Amino acid sequence: MKSRLFYCFFLTFFNHFVTAQNTAFTWWNPADNSFPVLEGQAWPDEVKNKYDRLPSRAEKNVREQVWNLSTQAAGLMIRFRANSGEIKVRYIVGGKQALPHMPATGVSGVDLYAISNDGDWRWCAGKYAFGDTITYNFKNIEPVDPTHKLGREYRLFLPLYNNVKWLEVGVPEGTRFEPLSLRPDKPIVVYGTSIAQGACASRPGMAWTAILGRKLDDPLVNLGFSGNGRMEKELVDLVSEIDAKIYILDCLPNLVASVNVPVEEIKKRYLDGIRTLRAKHPETPIVIAEHDGYTDEEINAVSRKSYQDVNVIIKEVFAQLKSEGITSVFLIPKEDFHQDIETMVDGTHPTDLGMMRYAEAYEKQIREILHEQKGTVATTIPCTQMRELANYDWEKRHFDILKANKSDQPKVVVIGNSITHFWGGLPKGPRSTGADSWDKTFGVNARNMGYGWDRIENVLWRIYHGELDGFKAQQIFVNIGTNNLQMNSDEEILAGWQMLIDAMKYHQPEANISMAGIYPRRQQEDRVAKLNSKLKELTKSANVNYVDPGLVLAGKDGKIDESLFSDGLHPNAKGYSILGKAYEPFIRK
């Protein structure tokens, strides 16, 4: 009996082993892709080697140490979609795989994050092996919801302190894999030291620059150079070539007394560097940071004095820039980084905890500078979504709208969810139920900024990422919130609306903004009516318009007129026609 049980167990194990060994994978090399996919490179067409951070022409101008560090892949990231339960990465690096104070997983490892259909971040644990070829195997990945068979988005962060010679990503044959193109947003650009490059994060995604990029959901160019971020003209000139969303200059840790740079030279480098950036980019915000201190500063007078001296200098630089009338320069004080004796590995370089505090300090400052506020409830936390990928591509629609706004600047903008998306207008949705009434109501040149399944927080993200920038709208109509009814309380929805109104007023200060009440929907008519009355009060205090055209979709009893709907939520062609006529009195011709 025992021998029989053992045989059955062995046979099961052997079959599983053979199946695992025989699983064939399809491999993709980002270096061979038909369009650029390496995010974090400011000069993708000028690099000497595929994973370099500086253009090849810089080799002649920067110091050798800087050039060598620029070949390390810090900050580079690859986006793709996949629907498989397993993802493999294999690659070769050119330098030492670990450092005395930093593990191989940070120096030479990769890091995989995913984004849920609701825009939430997920982290993927991988089994890794470090040899001549480094391998990561991410297994047991739960499948995406069955209605989303096209997969989810992944972001692969590359090694912080090593150069990548060759890399491939593999998924099982028969599963879906789609490389994603570079995002069109202007990047956050960081010029700094080893702390910016990523020492001593346990893995690439825990560098404060990577954390910040995820928090703001912006592309980020990491120009941190270990021991060599010294505000040198050659580097500042390169930084100034980048059209950035915001510049961060964090070089003081490499300018303390131990590197023998005189006080006046430090001051000159900062003043000259900021003047250079301001001359080429008159309006782009520039953030400078004080030295964040040392773990042993309370017990080591030398450490304490070294950072205090340079922090005096940076305060003098900031004051002089203000006296010269140079605007949009911001100083982060040491205290904002909240470093303490538990947040550094060796007294200088942050642990993962220290990296998180660094990122939180920058996020707080940058959100205030860029007016990209974030609250604590879901409706006030900007995020993407991919709830209907089988129906339409949310990210592609966003890119299409950004492109259309540049080529054909709209006067009328209509923001909403699927009810707006599937009404009509441009960019075209997967279907159009009331195209004629859309054109008659808003005009053929009105921009349709409706997205199927959008919630308030998704619209907030879209505004923070450029959909209301670069043009002057005359009118903006907003109907959003019906998809929040199942998820959020009335108070949370009102908080989201308030933040959304503030964002629209900042990005389109001259536009006439109208908040439309949530349209009535089956079995939710009473709640919608009460919530709309609260929205009406909110618009009064916010000094924007309130309109309620959706009232025409309900009968005298307040219940929806079923003959005007396809499903109790979306109007049919007749419903859209009646809704359009209700909008007409509010539209400026």
Side-chain angles (χ1 to χ4, degrees):
M1 183 68 178
K2 288 183 179 180
S3 60
R4 190 172 180 181
L5 286 173
F6 175 79
Y7 175 76
C8 291
F9 170 79
F10 175 80
L11 188 61
T12 300
F13 173 80
F14 180 77
N15 287 336
H16 174 77
F17 177 79
V18 170
T19 300
Q21 292 298 308
N22 290 339
T23 300
F25 274 70
T26 299
W27 293 92
W28 169 74
N29 187 329
D32 298 332
N33 203 63
S34 59
F35 53 85
V37 292
L38 274 177
E39 193 167 279
Q41 282 184 323
W43 301 271
D45 298 327
E46 296 187 60
V47 292
K48 183 177 180 180
N49 300 301
K50 190 64 179 180
Y51 298 92
D52 288 354
R53 291 184 286 153
L54 290 181
S56 57
R57 55 186 162 85
E59 187 172 9
K60 303 176 186 175
N61 301 322
V62 303
R63 291 182 293 110
E64 182 180 1
Q65 296 95 322
V66 173
W67 174 254
N68 290 338
L69 290 163
S70 78
T71 66
Q72 297 172 347
L76 300 189
M77 184 265 286
I78 300 166
R79 301 189 312 130
F80 58 87
R81 288 183 192 147
N83 67 356
S84 62
E86 184 175 5
I87 298 172
K88 292 184 178 182
V89 183
R90 60 189 184 191
Y91 58 102
I92 296 173
V93 298
K96 293 181 179 179
Q97 294 183 353
L99 296 171
H101 62 328
M102 187 173 175
T105 51
V107 172
S108 305
V110 295
D111 211 355
L112 187 66
Y113 284 74
I115 301 177
S116 76
N117 293 328
D118 289 326
D120 299 319
W121 287 95
R122 303 284 186 259
W123 179 73
C124 305
K127 298 294 183 182
Y128 45 81
F130 286 78
D132 292 338
T133 299
I134 300 173
T135 60
Y136 272 71
N137 191 6
F138 302 93
K139 299 182 69 173
N140 303 320
I141 299 173
E142 286 187 344
V144 184
D145 185 291
T147 61
H148 298 273
K149 296 180 180 180
L150 299 181
R152 60 166 66 88
E153 179 180 338
Y154 292 89
R155 299 187 184 181
L156 181 70
F157 293 84
L158 302 190
L160 295 169
Y161 265 78
N162 225 322
N163 60 323
V164 176
K165 293 184 172 295
W166 168 85
L167 181 143
E168 286 186 334
V169 180
V171 294
E173 283 187 1
T175 61
R176 187 172 186 272
F177 181 90
E178 177 190 2
L180 293 176
S181 61
L182 303 180
R183 293 176 287 176
D185 309 69
K186 292 182 179 181
I188 300 165
V189 177
V190 180
Y191 174 34
T193 67
S194 55
I195 299 171
Q197 184 169 343
C200 289
S202 64
R203 46 190 174 81
M206 287 309 298
W208 73 258
T209 46
I211 298 170
L212 180 65
R214 291 197 300 277
K215 284 179 174 291
L216 296 173
D217 206 8
D218 280 315
L220 187 143
V221 175
N222 184 334
L223 296 179
F225 302 105
S226 187
N228 289 275
R230 302 180 184 179
M231 281 299 296
E232 293 167 304
K233 181 181 184 302
E234 296 81 4
L235 267 298
V236 172
D237 286 346
L238 286 166
V239 170
S240 71
E241 295 179 9
I242 308 170
D243 187 13
K245 185 174 186 177
I246 193 166
Y247 297 102
I248 296 174
L249 306 176
D250 195 341
C251 291
L252 286 187
N254 285 165
L255 291 170
V256 293
S258 59
V259 297
N260 298 318
V261 178
V263 168
E264 288 306 313
E265 176 63 18
I266 297 173
K267 187 180 296 187
K268 182 177 184 302
R269 290 186 188 183
Y270 263 92
L271 289 171
D272 289 349
I274 292 170
R275 288 168 185 152
T276 295
L277 289 175
R278 182 53 70 240
K280 293 190 70 172
H281 305 278
E283 298 180 357
T284 307
I286 300 169
V287 176
I288 55 179
E290 289 188 6
H291 194 304
D292 66 327
Y294 297 104
T295 300
D296 65 344
E297 63 188 56
E298 295 298 335
I299 202 170
N300 186 328
V302 175
S303 294
R304 186 165 61 249
K305 186 176 186 304
S306 64
Y307 85 78
Q308 289 175 340
D309 287 348
V310 291
N311 283 350
V312 169
I313 294 169
I314 203 67
K315 288 185 176 74
E316 293 174 354
V317 167
F318 185 61
Q320 183 168 334
L321 291 168
K322 290 183 67 177
S323 70
E324 294 176 7
I326 296 179
T327 59
S328 292
V329 179
F330 305 87
L331 176 64
I332 299 186
K334 171 186 182 293
E335 292 72 24
D336 282 11
F337 293 114
H338 298 291
Q339 302 294 341
D340 58 45
I341 62 173
E342 312 295 353
T343 64
M344 295 184 188
V345 172
D346 54 3
T348 302
H349 300 99
T351 60
D352 289 352
L353 175 60
M355 289 290 185
M356 184 61 71
R357 291 185 181 175
Y358 233 94
E360 289 170 346
Y362 273 114
E363 181 193 16
K364 180 181 178 181
Q365 182 84 317
I366 290 172
R367 287 196 178 280
E368 291 176 359
I369 293 168
L370 299 178
H371 296 267
E372 295 185 0
Q373 298 304 325
K374 181 178 77 170
T376 57
V377 297
T379 56
T380 64
I381 301 174
C383 63
T384 61
Q385 60 101 343
M386 199 64 72
R387 301 182 185 101
E388 280 195 281
L389 185 56
N391 192 19
Y392 82 101
D393 189 323
W394 193 94
E395 180 175 274
K396 183 179 183 302
R397 182 165 178 81
H398 172 61
F399 292 173
D400 288 345
I401 285 174
L402 294 180
K403 185 178 179 180
N405 288 348
K406 288 183 179 180
S407 61
D408 183 18
Q409 299 187 356
K411 295 299 182 184
V412 178
V413 171
V414 188
I415 296 173
N417 46 51
S418 57
I419 301 172
T420 301
H421 187 178
F422 304 145
W423 189 344
L426 298 173
K428 289 184 177 181
R431 66 178 184 271
S432 180
T433 306
D436 291 343
S437 64
W438 171 279
D439 293 344
K440 291 176 183 177
T441 303
F442 302 109
V444 294
N445 292 322
R447 184 76 68 244
N448 184 328
M449 291 189 186
Y451 288 59
W453 264 113
D454 252 16
R455 299 174 185 154
I456 296 169
E457 56 267 30
N458 306 131
V459 177
L460 195 62
W461 185 97
R462 295 197 275 122
I463 292 174
Y464 288 171
H465 288 79
E467 288 194 10
L468 292 183
D469 295 335
F471 65 95
K472 290 185 178 180
Q474 292 180 353
Q475 287 187 279
I476 300 175
F477 292 94
V478 185
N479 174 257
I480 196 70
T482 195
N483 291 324
N484 290 95
L485 293 175
Q486 299 177 43
M487 312 295 299
N488 304 105
S489 67
D490 289 3
E491 291 70 25
E492 290 171 338
I493 291 172
L494 284 164
W497 277 336
Q498 178 66 70
M499 192 168 286
L500 187 58
I501 291 169
D502 292 343
M504 289 189 293
K505 291 172 72 173
Y506 176 76
H507 287 267
Q508 287 285 343
E510 298 178 20
N512 184 277
I513 299 172
S514 296
M515 296 292 294
I518 295 176
Y519 304 140
R521 57 184 296 172
R522 185 187 295 150
Q523 297 181 351
Q524 302 237 23
E525 293 93 340
D526 291 343
R527 183 186 177 190
V528 166
K530 292 176 182 177
L531 189 53
N532 284 346
S533 66
K534 295 177 182 179
L535 173 59
K536 186 176 181 179
E537 291 300 313
L538 173 62
T539 59
K540 288 180 182 178
S541 61
N543 196 29
V544 297
N545 304 314
Y546 173 76
V547 297
D548 200 355
L551 289 174
V552 300
L553 301 175
K556 293 181 179 180
D557 60 356
K559 303 300 181 183
I560 66 167
D561 183 341
E562 294 283 357
S563 70
L564 302 178
F565 288 83
S566 61
D567 57 3
L569 172 63
H570 298 89
N572 55 28
K574 182 180 178 182
Y576 276 123
S577 178
I578 293 174
L579 184 63
K581 290 176 182 177
Y583 265 105
E584 287 179 1
F586 307 109
I587 297 173
R588 296 176 178 177
K589 299 297 184 179

